Structure formats: C-alpha cells, structure tokens
Amino acid sequence: NAGVTQTPKFQVLKTGQSMTLQCAQDMNHEYMSWYRQDPGMGLRLIHYSVGAGITDQGEVPNGYNVSRSTTEDFPLRLLSAAPSQTSVYFCASSYSRTGNSPLHFGNGTRLTVT
Amino acid sequence: KNEVEQSPQNLTAQEGEFITINCSYSVGISALHWLQQHPGGGIVSLFMLSSGKKKHGRLIATINIQEKHSSLHITASHPRDSAVYICAVSYNTDKLIFGTGTRLQVFP
C-alpha cells in the first residue's frame, strides 16, 4: 500500500502565484485533512473532510481552498500565494474521525513564497 | 496558552537511558495521540489512547484522565529514537489540537 501520497515535496512560488498541493490515499479513509507546520508552533488544521463532497474549515483556512470529489483525493489550493504561507504542509487521513482512529500522514510539502 | 502543553521542549539522553515525555491538556478529551516526526520530516502515529496504558516494543504510553495528563516513555533509548515527539488531543470533534513537540536527541 502506498498510504498517503503527497506531492510535490518542495515548491517555490512568487507572491501572487497559485498552485495546488496534491494528496491521495489508497486506504479508503473517510477523513482527510490538511495541516501546516511552522517553527515553534504545533501543527495547525487548515481544512478537513469527513467524506466525498463534504469539506469544512479548520483553524487557519484563509487563503486556501479544498474540494473532495472522490474518497481518494483531497487537493489543497493556494489561491494567491503570500509570504505568510511559507510553511511545511502535511496531508493526513484516518479511517474515521480523528478521535477514534490513528492518523496517517503524507511526507509533507515544503513551500517557500518569495 | 496552548490547549496542549508538552514538556520538556528539548531533551538529550545517553543511549540506554529511560526517557519520559509529558503532555497535559485542559479539558476532557475523547482520545490522545502520540506522533513521531523524524529528522527527515515524516510523521508517524505511535499510539492512540483514551484510557490506561499501551505498549509497543520499547515505547509505553499512559494516560490519566482525572489529571488530564499523558506520558510517553522510551525504555533503553537508542540514537534511532532521536526525533520530535508530538502529542495531540481530540475533544470529541473532527479536529485535533497539537502540542508543539518535544525534540529528543539520544547520543551513543
């Protein structure tokens, strides 16, 4: 099993550019989520989904967009990149909602916005 | 103030030492997770628990619901245990709250 596949691993953007971070899982997990990790701070939830067609905002959703058209895929879109979005991004999935089952993480995307 | 507090922030140990990492949270939870983040950046789930104690190899996780506290113990530590250990809690919602992590370095 591939688990959670996240691409790209590294990305450099200029301010104002847009891009999509891809996330796919092959475990038939209902719950998928996106986090950002910044120095000195815990992982913070950006957006999450409890099933295909259902998404909701997390703690820091501004500047990001998501969709969940299939169970497998949960892309994260940066609409107009800003330097404050320089961070490491992680996608994660779990069989059910986070309190009840372990999380499986992708390998992360290091994004730099200049 | 973070709803999830970890201590210590940094920890160094000699190979073979017994390690304890602590996690405190503020209100009742439905589950607590311990995660490990290796220097390469990948994050893996070590334990998920809502009561009692779990053991996997040299790792032991305990939780005290009344005291709102959990500990992660590593017995006979090894340099390959060097990583950041992260505690996260679920307050019976779809969202996890993460601690800032404990950076562990084990020297041979």
Side-chain angles (χ1 to χ4, degrees), chain A residues 31 35 37 97-99 101 103, chain B residues 31 33 37 41 48 94 96 98:
Chain A
Y31 184 92
Y35 300 91
Q37 186 178 40
R97 289 174 170 176
T98 58
S101 60
L103 279 169
Chain B
H33 299 251
Q37 186 170 25
M48 184 192 67
D94 299 324
L96 281 174
F98 292 80

Side-chain angles (χ1 to χ4, degrees), chain A residues 31 35 37 40-45 48 50 57-59 90 97-103 105-107, chain B residues 2 30-33 35 37 40-45 48 86 90 93-101:
Chain A
Y31 184 92
Y35 300 91
Q37 186 178 40
M41 304 184 75
L43 286 157
R44 291 183 293 169
L45 181 66
Y48 67 98
V50 298
Q57 295 182 351
E59 183 184 354
F90 288 94
R97 289 174 170 176
T98 58
N100 300 325
S101 60
L103 279 169
F105 285 86
N107 287 329
Chain B
N2 199 335
S30 59
L32 183 142
H33 299 251
L35 310 169
Q37 186 170 25
I43 301 173
V44 295
S45 176
M48 184 192 67
I86 302 169
S90 171
T93 69
D94 299 324
K95 305 171 187 177
L96 281 174
I97 306 296
F98 292 80
T100 55

Side-chain angles (χ1 to χ4, degrees), chain A residues 8-43:
Chain A
K9 289 188 177 179
F10 301 94
Q11 183 71 50
V12 178
L13 292 178
K14 294 188 188 307
T15 297
Q17 287 184 317
S18 63
M19 77 160 295
T20 299
L21 278 63
Q22 301 293 344
C23 178
Q25 52 88 13
D26 61 358
M27 297 172 282
N28 202 31
H29 285 171
E30 290 298 320
Y31 184 92
M32 296 186 75
S33 52
W34 277 101
Y35 300 91
R36 60 179 288 172
Q37 186 178 40
D38 299 296
M41 304 184 75
L43 286 157

